[in-house]
Amino acid sequence: MTDRGLIIRHGGVVVFNSRRAAGGVCLGMFRVPGAQTVLSFPHMPRGRTPIVVYSDGSMHSNWLYDEVMGYPRFVFPAVAMSASANYTVGVYLK
């Protein structure tokens, strides 16, 4: 049997290993283009800690989290980047 999961490395260093993650729930993997992207989860509970893991392994800080609408919402603002710099992100609540 093979271990399955998501392992993200940055410069050879493991920055995230889903096989060792505990206490959180993955809301999904999403494509984030350079345009503003809003991910809303109206059926999820409030009061959790948001976690965003980028596919390139870097720690990006240009995303926002709020519960203003009564549910978790992740906002990725528009950024100037090349067309090939789209990211896939893993969105979690802990």
Side-chain angles (χ1 to χ4, degrees):
M1 180 174 190
T2 303
D3 287 333
R4 294 195 181 349
L6 172 66
I7 298 174
I8 297 175
R9 292 178 176 84
H10 185 66
V13 176
V14 174
V15 294
F16 181 79
N17 184 343
S18 68
R19 296 176 298 180
R20 295 186 181 169
V25 97
C26 179
L27 301 175
M29 303 295 285
F30 303 93
R31 178 62 97 193
V32 177
Q36 179 172 336
T37 303
V38 178
L39 303 173
S40 299
F41 302 92
H43 300 294
M44 295 303 294
R46 295 169 36 163
R48 303 290 193 251
T49 302
I51 300 169
V52 173
V53 178
Y54 280 76
S55 59
D56 68 352
S58 297
M59 299 303 284
H60 297 259
S61 60
N62 61 337
W63 57 276
L64 306 168
Y65 175 81
D66 69 49
E67 297 175 347
V68 173
M69 303 298 291
Y71 50 81
R73 195 169 73 128
F74 294 79
V75 179
F76 299 87
V79 294
M81 64 169 81
S82 69
S84 63
N86 293 319
Y87 292 102
T88 299
V89 296
V91 177
Y92 302 82
L93 287 178
K94 184 173 180 185

